[in-house]
Amino acid sequence: MKQMIVCVGLFGIIYSAHADDNIATLRGEVSITDQPPAPRMEQVEDHDIKRKRNYPMQPPTIPHAIDKYYQVDLFVNKCLSCHSRQHTEASQAPMVSDTHYKDRDGKVLAEVSPRRYFCSQCHVIQVEVKPLVDNTFEGLLHDPATGW
Amino acid sequence: MIEWVKRQVTVLRAPSRYFSLGFLTIGGFIAGVIFWGGFNTVLEATNTETFCISCHEMRNNVFQELKTTIHYTNRSGVRATCPDCHVPHNWTDKIARKTQATKEVWGKIFGTIRTREKFLEKRLELAKHEWARLKTNNSLECRNCHDFEYMDFTRQGVRAEKAHSTQLARGEKTCIDCHKGIAHKLPNMAGVENF
């Protein structure tokens, strides 16, 4: 029995080592000892035009660049310095909606809820590039509630 | 002892016996130039980024952070160094800032911010000094490079254009009011006004 396990184990290792050759890695077709040329950094969309949401509860995509110096960590949340309730007058940014102030039991808090603190967990920037994989997702054409 | 001092003073006050007035004037002038030059050379030497980051407190903290920002690398290759933002160009202000900096050397010797933790603890206070300075001089150091007169709003992002053509143009706010944390990570901003 023991021998059997060792055999299967060995086979597994050899097989996986072999199979590795065929796996496309993020590195591309470059051997591990070579340094591939860096891919281009695409320009982040920064034209401040909102994109359509594909369904009502989709977190809207971010219509502006955030790669500048938008620090979000234990100390600071730069996004909130424009999007929080206190700051929308000066920044003229849309206020984070009330769902951001609710904890998971639906209780409304005075501050943005911790589970909504790291904005880019849900909200993402956009770049104008050919998608790496095809996407056949079809958004809702109508809002089922209103039919619009 | 007192006798000796008195004698020296007499010597100093007596008119020159060996040197002509011309020599003294010109010599004095040259000595002045050399001294002044030396002074300025030292001043200039302390006014480079290499000097700023020769102490590890700066190299390991703020410099590492600066390296990830647009003021370190960008498509046009124009850089801002530490003194560009932190040391006034005009002479009296420069001397004033340098005198103040002597206190920071003191801090260095006694290790006020020797570790990352100590630095973070002290960071808000340090940052507040810089904000206050830039607020009072209307962000002069930023404007040395970014001249409002020559900003082409049509070339800016919509949010930038809106902010610059209103609050900045009217002089209600200055660069540092809106662009805190432009070059380094921010400290804990809880309680900082208008952030």
Side-chain angles (χ1 to χ4, degrees):
Chain A
M1 186 61 201
K2 237 189 195 159
Q3 269 165 347
M4 180 80 171
I5 294 179
V6 172
C7 266
V8 171
L10 266 181
F11 179 76
I13 291 171
I14 292 167
Y15 181 78
S16 61
H18 188 74
D20 261 350
D21 295 348
N22 306 327
I23 292 177
T25 65
L26 283 177
R27 291 177 59 79
E29 302 286 295
V30 184
S31 91
I32 195 88
T33 48
D34 290 335
Q35 181 79 33
R40 276 188 63 82
M41 297 273 275
E42 294 300 337
Q43 283 281 319
V44 172
E45 266 185 30
D46 193 21
H47 22 252
D48 302 80
I49 294 170
K50 294 177 186 174
R51 289 195 179 204
K52 185 185 75 192
R53 301 186 202 178
N54 288 315
Y55 49 95
M57 279 309 286
Q58 182 206 320
T61 57
I62 308 175
H64 55 71
I66 60 167
D67 56 343
K68 300 183 180 233
Y69 46 97
Y70 290 175
Q71 184 182 346
V72 177
D73 62 15
L74 177 65
F75 293 148
V76 193
N77 189 322
K78 177 81 181 173
C79 311
L80 287 178
S81 77
C82 286
H83 285 283
S84 73
R85 188 182 56 77
Q86 298 94 301
H87 292 116
T88 46
E89 186 179 351
S91 69
Q92 290 297 310
M95 187 186 117
V96 292
S97 58
D98 51 0
T99 55
H100 295 66
Y101 289 84
K102 285 183 187 151
D103 69 6
R104 64 175 171 185
D105 304 320
K107 208 169 84 194
V108 180
L109 312 169
E111 280 292 317
V112 166
S113 155
R115 64 188 190 137
R116 290 273 166 118
Y117 187 81
F118 293 103
C119 319
S120 51
Q121 223 177 303
C122 304
H123 297 281
V124 289
I125 45 160
Q126 300 291 305
V127 285
E128 232 149 66
V129 287
K130 199 174 143 296
L132 288 175
V133 288
D134 282 338
N135 187 347
T136 52
F137 179 82
E138 277 180 33
L140 288 179
L141 296 178
H142 301 289
D143 193 329
T146 59
W148 284 37
Chain B
M1 181 66 194
I2 296 171
E3 271 307 299
W4 182 84
V5 172
K6 269 189 188 154
R7 238 191 358 253
Q8 301 306 318
V9 172
T10 333
V11 171
L12 274 182
R13 291 179 56 189
S16 166
R17 221 176 299 164
Y18 309 108
F19 303 114
S20 70
L21 183 63
F23 177 84
L24 282 182
T25 328
I26 297 171
F29 179 75
I30 293 174
V33 168
I34 291 174
F35 171 74
W36 182 240
F39 181 67
N40 252 345
T41 311
V42 171
L43 202 65
E44 284 313 315
T46 64
N47 226 10
T48 60
E49 186 161 86
T50 341
F51 176 79
C52 302
I53 59 175
S54 64
C55 89
H56 74 98
E57 282 90 341
M58 293 301 129
R59 193 174 54 242
N60 298 349
N61 293 307
V62 274
F63 181 54
Q64 295 309 326
E65 296 166 0
L66 177 70
K67 273 177 154 178
T68 64
T69 72
I70 195 161
H71 285 106
Y72 191 78
T73 53
N74 54 56
R75 60 198 170 135
S76 29
V78 183
R79 262 214 64 195
T81 61
C82 326
D84 288 332
C85 289
H86 288 295
V87 185
H89 279 207
N90 133 353
W91 196 81
T92 34
D93 291 346
K94 190 195 289 186
I95 294 298
R97 183 67 187 89
K98 285 284 172 191
T99 319
Q100 205 188 339
T102 319
K103 194 176 117 206
E104 288 148 21
V105 174
W106 178 272
K108 158 88 193 164
I109 294 169
F110 290 95
T112 330
I113 53 173
R114 192 166 42 220
T115 60
R116 177 78 185 164
E117 287 68 32
K118 286 192 177 175
F119 174 71
L120 289 182
E121 236 169 67
K122 203 84 170 127
R123 177 161 227 175
L124 181 60
E125 186 190 327
L126 296 173
K128 275 185 174 162
H129 289 165
E130 287 306 293
W131 294 328
R133 182 176 62 82
L134 288 163
K135 181 79 187 163
T136 25
N137 72 10
N138 197 7
S139 311
L140 180 67
E141 279 71 44
C142 313
R143 290 175 196 261
N144 282 337
C145 288
H146 300 270
D147 196 327
F148 177 76
E149 295 291 318
Y150 301 99
M151 274 188 183
D152 182 350
F153 290 157
T154 61
R155 286 276 179 182
Q156 295 189 343
V158 177
R159 291 175 309 146
E161 185 228 310
K162 275 195 191 135
H164 293 162
S165 61
T166 55
Q167 296 169 36
L168 177 64
R170 289 198 295 262
E172 288 160 15
K173 286 193 175 166
T174 183
C175 318
I176 200 62
D177 287 325
C178 300
H179 290 293
K180 290 192 178 70
I182 185 73
H184 319 288
K185 290 253 182 282
L186 287 169
N188 191 338
M189 300 294 277
V192 174
E193 212 185 325
N194 289 325
F195 187 86

